[in-house]
Amino acid sequence: MLTAPENYAIRKENPPPGEKVKVIHMLEVCVDSLASARNAIEGGADRLELCAGLAVGGLTPYTALLRQIRQESCIPIRCLMRHRPGDFLYDSDEIRLLCDQIRELSAEGADGFVIGCLTAEGELDTEKTGWMAEACGGKGVTLHRCIDVSRDPVKTYLAAQTLGIDTVLTSGGAASCKAGTETIGRLLKLRDAHHGPEVLIGAGVNADVIRDFRKKFPNATAFHMSGKREIDSGMRYRRNGVPMGLPGLDEFHIQQTDPMAVAAARQALMA
Protein backbone atom coordinates (compact mmCIF):
# COMPACT_ATOMS: atom_id res chain seq x y z
CA MET A 1 0.00 0.00 0.00
CA LEU A 2 1.26 3.46 -0.84
CA THR A 3 1.64 5.79 2.12
CA ALA A 4 0.37 9.33 2.10
CA PRO A 5 2.89 12.18 2.29
CA GLU A 6 3.51 13.61 5.74
CA ASN A 7 1.34 16.61 6.52
CA TYR A 8 3.68 19.02 8.30
CA ALA A 9 4.80 22.49 7.37
CA ILE A 10 8.11 23.11 5.63
CA ARG A 11 9.14 26.56 6.78
CA LYS A 12 11.34 28.86 4.70
CA GLU A 13 13.64 31.28 6.48
CA ASN A 14 13.73 33.79 3.65
CA PRO A 15 11.02 33.05 1.09
CA PRO A 16 11.27 34.89 -2.26
CA PRO A 17 9.42 38.25 -2.35
CA GLY A 18 5.71 37.77 -2.83
CA GLU A 19 5.80 34.03 -2.16
CA LYS A 20 3.19 32.86 0.31
CA VAL A 21 4.39 30.12 2.62
CA LYS A 22 1.56 27.74 3.44
CA VAL A 23 1.60 26.72 7.09
CA ILE A 24 -0.02 23.33 7.51
CA HIS A 25 -1.49 22.52 10.89
CA MET A 26 -0.64 19.17 12.43
CA LEU A 27 -2.71 17.14 14.87
CA GLU A 28 -0.90 13.97 15.88
CA VAL A 29 -2.68 11.36 18.00
CA CYS A 30 -0.79 8.70 19.94
CA VAL A 31 -2.49 5.29 19.84
CA ASP A 32 -1.67 1.79 21.05
CA SER A 33 -4.46 -0.30 19.49
CA LEU A 34 -6.30 -0.77 16.21
CA ALA A 35 -9.51 0.55 17.81
CA SER A 36 -7.76 3.74 18.93
CA ALA A 37 -6.18 4.18 15.50
CA ARG A 38 -9.60 3.88 13.85
CA ASN A 39 -11.06 6.41 16.29
CA ALA A 40 -8.19 8.86 15.76
CA ILE A 41 -8.60 8.67 11.99
CA GLU A 42 -12.37 9.10 12.31
CA GLY A 43 -11.81 12.21 14.45
CA GLY A 44 -9.54 13.81 11.86
CA ALA A 45 -5.97 13.07 12.99
CA ASP A 46 -3.27 14.11 10.51
CA ARG A 47 -0.76 11.58 11.79
CA LEU A 48 -0.51 8.76 14.31
CA GLU A 49 2.22 8.13 16.83
CA LEU A 50 2.03 4.37 17.20
CA CYS A 51 3.16 2.78 20.41
CA ALA A 52 2.40 0.07 22.96
CA GLY A 53 1.80 0.51 26.68
CA LEU A 54 0.49 4.06 26.88
CA ALA A 55 -0.16 3.45 30.59
CA VAL A 56 3.63 3.53 31.15
CA GLY A 57 4.25 6.46 28.81
CA GLY A 58 4.44 4.48 25.57
CA LEU A 59 6.74 1.71 24.32
CA THR A 60 7.88 0.38 20.95
CA PRO A 61 4.80 -0.90 19.09
CA TYR A 62 4.22 -4.40 17.78
CA THR A 63 5.01 -4.89 14.09
CA ALA A 64 1.75 -6.85 13.70
CA LEU A 65 -0.24 -3.85 14.98
CA LEU A 66 1.40 -1.60 12.39
CA ARG A 67 0.45 -4.13 9.70
CA GLN A 68 -3.16 -4.16 10.91
CA ILE A 69 -3.45 -0.38 10.61
CA ARG A 70 -1.66 -0.32 7.27
CA GLN A 71 -4.23 -2.78 5.89
CA GLU A 72 -6.92 -0.15 6.55
CA SER A 73 -5.27 3.24 6.13
CA CYS A 74 -2.36 5.06 4.55
CA ILE A 75 -2.37 7.76 7.25
CA PRO A 76 1.20 8.82 8.14
CA ILE A 77 2.49 6.82 11.11
CA ARG A 78 5.53 7.50 13.26
CA CYS A 79 6.51 4.70 15.63
CA LEU A 80 7.73 5.43 19.15
CA MET A 81 11.07 3.77 19.80
CA ARG A 82 11.22 3.08 23.55
CA HIS A 83 11.87 -0.54 24.43
CA ARG A 84 11.34 -0.21 28.20
CA PRO A 85 9.83 2.16 30.77
CA GLY A 86 12.14 4.34 32.79
CA ASP A 87 14.98 6.67 31.91
CA PHE A 88 16.49 7.42 28.50
CA LEU A 89 20.05 6.37 29.38
CA TYR A 90 20.65 3.49 26.96
CA ASP A 91 23.70 1.29 26.60
CA SER A 92 25.04 0.01 23.27
CA ASP A 93 23.04 -3.23 23.43
CA GLU A 94 19.82 -1.28 23.90
CA ILE A 95 20.66 1.02 20.99
CA ARG A 96 21.30 -1.99 18.74
CA LEU A 97 17.91 -3.39 19.71
CA LEU A 98 16.20 -0.06 18.95
CA CYS A 99 17.94 0.23 15.59
CA ASP A 100 16.87 -3.32 14.68
CA GLN A 101 13.28 -2.47 15.67
CA ILE A 102 13.41 0.69 13.55
CA ARG A 103 14.48 -1.27 10.47
CA GLU A 104 11.80 -3.91 11.07
CA LEU A 105 9.00 -1.36 11.45
CA SER A 106 10.30 0.63 8.50
CA ALA A 107 9.97 -2.43 6.28
CA GLU A 108 6.32 -2.78 7.37
CA GLY A 109 5.33 0.74 6.33
CA ALA A 110 6.25 3.15 9.14
CA ASP A 111 6.65 6.69 7.78
CA GLY A 112 8.90 7.88 10.58
CA PHE A 113 10.14 7.31 14.10
CA VAL A 114 10.13 8.96 17.52
CA ILE A 115 13.53 8.58 19.14
CA GLY A 116 15.89 9.97 21.75
CA CYS A 117 18.70 9.12 24.16
CA LEU A 118 20.29 11.11 27.00
CA THR A 119 23.67 11.06 28.67
CA ALA A 120 23.96 10.44 32.41
CA GLU A 121 24.39 14.20 32.84
CA GLY A 122 21.06 14.97 31.16
CA GLU A 123 22.39 16.13 27.78
CA LEU A 124 21.13 14.81 24.46
CA ASP A 125 23.38 11.88 23.55
CA THR A 126 23.99 13.02 19.99
CA GLU A 127 26.13 9.99 19.12
CA LYS A 128 23.58 7.33 20.09
CA THR A 129 20.58 9.37 18.98
CA GLY A 130 22.43 9.88 15.71
CA TRP A 131 22.80 6.12 15.29
CA MET A 132 19.04 5.74 15.66
CA ALA A 133 18.38 8.63 13.25
CA GLU A 134 20.65 6.98 10.69
CA ALA A 135 18.73 3.69 11.06
CA CYS A 136 15.56 5.61 10.11
CA GLY A 137 16.90 5.70 6.56
CA GLY A 138 15.77 9.20 5.64
CA LYS A 139 12.24 8.83 7.02
CA GLY A 140 10.71 11.45 9.33
CA VAL A 141 12.26 11.72 12.79
CA THR A 142 10.77 13.19 15.97
CA LEU A 143 12.77 13.73 19.16
CA HIS A 144 10.52 12.44 21.92
CA ARG A 145 9.95 13.83 25.39
CA CYS A 146 13.42 12.95 26.61
CA ILE A 147 13.83 16.70 25.96
CA ASP A 148 11.50 17.34 28.90
CA VAL A 149 13.75 15.54 31.38
CA SER A 150 16.98 16.87 29.90
CA ARG A 151 19.12 19.44 31.73
CA ASP A 152 18.36 22.28 29.29
CA PRO A 153 15.42 21.83 26.85
CA VAL A 154 16.56 24.77 24.69
CA LYS A 155 20.06 23.31 24.31
CA THR A 156 18.55 19.88 23.61
CA TYR A 157 16.31 21.38 20.91
CA LEU A 158 19.30 22.99 19.17
CA ALA A 159 21.27 19.73 19.42
CA ALA A 160 18.36 17.88 17.80
CA GLN A 161 18.51 20.27 14.86
CA THR A 162 22.14 19.37 14.21
CA LEU A 163 21.07 15.72 13.76
CA GLY A 164 18.53 16.59 11.05
CA ILE A 165 15.57 15.83 13.30
CA ASP A 166 12.48 17.50 11.81
CA THR A 167 10.16 17.53 14.85
CA VAL A 168 10.55 17.86 18.63
CA LEU A 169 7.72 16.63 20.87
CA THR A 170 7.70 18.60 24.11
CA SER A 171 5.72 19.81 27.11
CA GLY A 172 8.27 22.54 27.70
CA GLY A 173 10.15 20.59 30.36
CA ALA A 174 7.10 20.35 32.61
CA ALA A 175 4.50 17.77 33.63
CA SER A 176 2.03 19.33 31.18
CA CYS A 177 2.28 21.70 28.25
CA LYS A 178 0.27 24.32 30.16
CA ALA A 179 2.91 24.30 32.91
CA GLY A 180 5.65 24.50 30.28
CA THR A 181 4.15 27.38 28.31
CA GLU A 182 7.11 29.74 28.78
CA THR A 183 9.68 27.26 27.49
CA ILE A 184 7.45 26.23 24.59
CA GLY A 185 7.24 29.89 23.62
CA ARG A 186 11.04 30.09 23.56
CA LEU A 187 11.24 26.99 21.37
CA LEU A 188 8.70 28.41 18.93
CA LYS A 189 10.83 31.55 18.60
CA LEU A 190 13.92 29.43 17.96
CA ARG A 191 12.04 27.41 15.34
CA ASP A 192 11.04 30.52 13.44
CA ALA A 193 14.37 32.31 13.82
CA HIS A 194 16.58 29.36 12.88
CA HIS A 195 14.36 27.30 10.58
CA GLY A 196 14.39 24.71 13.33
CA PRO A 197 12.48 21.49 13.88
CA GLU A 198 8.72 21.71 14.26
CA VAL A 199 7.65 22.17 17.88
CA LEU A 200 5.04 19.50 18.52
CA ILE A 201 3.20 20.49 21.71
CA GLY A 202 2.13 17.57 23.89
CA ALA A 203 1.10 16.43 27.40
CA GLY A 204 -2.41 17.38 28.47
CA VAL A 205 -3.53 18.58 25.04
CA ASN A 206 -7.25 18.93 24.31
CA ALA A 207 -9.44 21.37 22.41
CA ASP A 208 -9.39 23.99 25.19
CA VAL A 209 -5.60 23.79 25.55
CA ILE A 210 -5.16 24.23 21.80
CA ARG A 211 -7.38 27.29 21.81
CA ASP A 212 -5.43 28.82 24.70
CA PHE A 213 -2.07 28.17 23.04
CA ARG A 214 -3.23 29.54 19.70
CA LYS A 215 -4.36 32.77 21.37
CA LYS A 216 -1.00 33.24 23.07
CA PHE A 217 1.14 31.80 20.26
CA PRO A 218 -0.53 32.10 16.83
CA ASN A 219 2.58 30.41 15.38
CA ALA A 220 1.84 27.21 17.38
CA THR A 221 0.59 24.92 14.64
CA ALA A 222 1.42 21.36 15.77
CA PHE A 223 -0.16 19.47 18.66
CA HIS A 224 0.07 15.93 20.01
CA MET A 225 -2.67 14.27 22.05
CA SER A 226 -4.06 10.89 23.09
CA GLY A 227 -7.69 11.93 23.64
CA LYS A 228 -8.22 8.89 25.84
CA ARG A 229 -11.50 7.77 27.35
CA GLU A 230 -12.15 4.78 29.61
CA ILE A 231 -14.18 1.88 28.23
CA ASP A 232 -15.75 -0.37 30.84
CA SER A 233 -14.57 -3.97 30.59
CA GLY A 234 -16.98 -6.61 29.33
CA MET A 235 -15.94 -8.88 32.21
CA ARG A 236 -18.89 -9.73 34.47
CA TYR A 237 -16.78 -11.68 36.96
CA ARG A 238 -14.15 -9.40 38.44
CA ARG A 239 -11.56 -10.49 41.00
CA ASN A 240 -10.25 -7.32 42.58
CA GLY A 241 -6.91 -6.81 44.31
CA VAL A 242 -4.88 -8.91 41.82
CA PRO A 243 -3.08 -6.38 39.58
CA MET A 244 -1.48 -7.67 36.40
CA GLY A 245 1.07 -4.85 36.34
CA LEU A 246 1.77 -1.72 38.31
CA PRO A 247 -0.15 -1.54 41.61
CA GLY A 248 -3.17 0.72 41.32
CA LEU A 249 -3.86 0.10 37.64
CA ASP A 250 -7.50 -0.73 36.99
CA GLU A 251 -7.72 -3.99 35.07
CA PHE A 252 -11.42 -3.54 34.24
CA HIS A 253 -11.32 -0.28 32.30
CA ILE A 254 -9.66 -0.07 28.88
CA GLN A 255 -8.28 3.26 27.68
CA GLN A 256 -9.13 4.10 24.09
CA THR A 257 -8.92 7.19 21.89
CA ASP A 258 -12.18 9.16 21.76
CA PRO A 259 -12.99 10.27 18.19
CA MET A 260 -15.08 13.16 19.50
CA ALA A 261 -12.14 14.51 21.53
CA VAL A 262 -9.94 14.33 18.44
CA ALA A 263 -12.60 16.04 16.30
CA ALA A 264 -12.97 18.84 18.87
CA ALA A 265 -9.20 19.33 18.94
CA ARG A 266 -9.10 19.39 15.17
CA GLN A 267 -11.78 22.05 15.07
CA ALA A 268 -9.93 24.16 17.66
CA LEU A 269 -6.69 23.90 15.70
CA MET A 270 -8.24 24.96 12.41
CA ALA A 271 -10.40 27.77 13.85
Side-chain angles (χ1 to χ4, degrees):
M1 176 184 293
L2 293 175
T3 56
E6 294 244 18
N7 185 24
Y8 60 81
I10 298 176
R11 302 172 186 278
K12 295 184 179 179
E13 241 178 314
N14 298 297
E19 179 179 336
K20 292 182 178 179
V21 179
K22 185 179 181 181
V23 176
I24 302 176
H25 299 82
M26 164 62 67
L27 180 62
E28 180 180 86
V29 181
C30 55
V31 301
D32 62 358
S33 69
L34 179 59
S36 284
R38 287 169 172 162
N39 290 345
I41 294 167
E42 178 187 338
D46 295 305
R47 186 171 72 201
L48 303 181
E49 181 193 87
L50 185 62
C51 62
L54 272 176
V56 291
L59 300 172
T60 302
Y62 306 108
T63 306
L65 176 57
L66 175 61
R67 280 198 298 266
Q68 277 189 318
I69 299 170
R70 272 285 165 257
Q71 287 169 3
E72 298 189 7
S73 175
C74 62
I75 188 172
I77 297 174
R78 292 197 178 188
C79 293
L80 174 64
M81 305 314 301
R82 184 175 179 235
H83 61 295
R84 59 163 172 78
D87 62 39
F88 301 106
L89 180 65
Y90 300 147
D91 62 28
S92 296
D93 291 331
E94 291 176 298
I95 294 295
R96 279 196 295 271
L97 171 62
L98 288 163
C99 288
D100 285 345
Q101 290 175 323
I102 287 169
R103 286 185 280 265
E104 181 180 297
L105 288 160
S106 183
E108 293 295 336
D111 298 286
F113 298 92
V114 185
I115 66 172
C117 181
L118 298 178
T119 68
E121 298 305 316
E123 308 287 344
L124 184 67
D125 191 324
T126 53
E127 181 179 33
K128 291 177 180 176
T129 303
W131 293 344
M132 285 189 278
E134 185 177 352
C136 295
K139 294 191 174 184
V141 181
T142 299
L143 180 71
H144 57 47
R145 291 188 61 212
C146 68
I147 186 175
D148 294 322
V149 292
S150 67
R151 182 181 294 273
D152 182 344
V154 170
K155 184 178 178 181
T156 301
Y157 176 86
L158 293 171
Q161 184 175 9
T162 68
L163 297 177
I165 289 171
D166 63 63
T167 303
V168 173
L169 170 62
T170 182
S171 63
S176 70
C177 60
K178 289 182 71 174
T181 297
E182 182 179 347
T183 298
I184 289 172
R186 293 175 65 193
L187 296 179
L188 288 168
K189 285 183 179 179
L190 280 174
R191 181 202 67 187
D192 294 344
H194 299 286
H195 194 44
E198 181 60 277
V199 178
L200 183 61
I201 300 167
V205 168
N206 57 32
D208 289 336
V209 168
I210 291 174
R211 276 189 285 267
D212 289 344
F213 262 93
R214 296 279 289 146
K215 286 177 183 177
K216 188 166 187 177
F217 305 113
N219 58 340
T221 55
F223 292 85
H224 169 100
M225 68 182 297
S226 63
K228 295 188 295 288
R229 62 179 175 181
E230 284 196 341
I231 307 295
D232 192 38
S233 168
M235 290 292 296
R236 290 186 293 274
Y237 172 74
R238 303 185 180 191
R239 182 184 294 277
N240 294 309
V242 188
M244 294 294 107
L246 295 173
L249 284 182
D250 183 355
E251 308 293 346
F252 300 110
H253 288 87
I254 311 301
Q255 291 191 335
Q256 211 173 86
T257 299
D258 182 352
M260 295 182 67
V262 176
R266 178 77 186 170
Q267 184 177 9
L269 179 58
M270 301 307 294

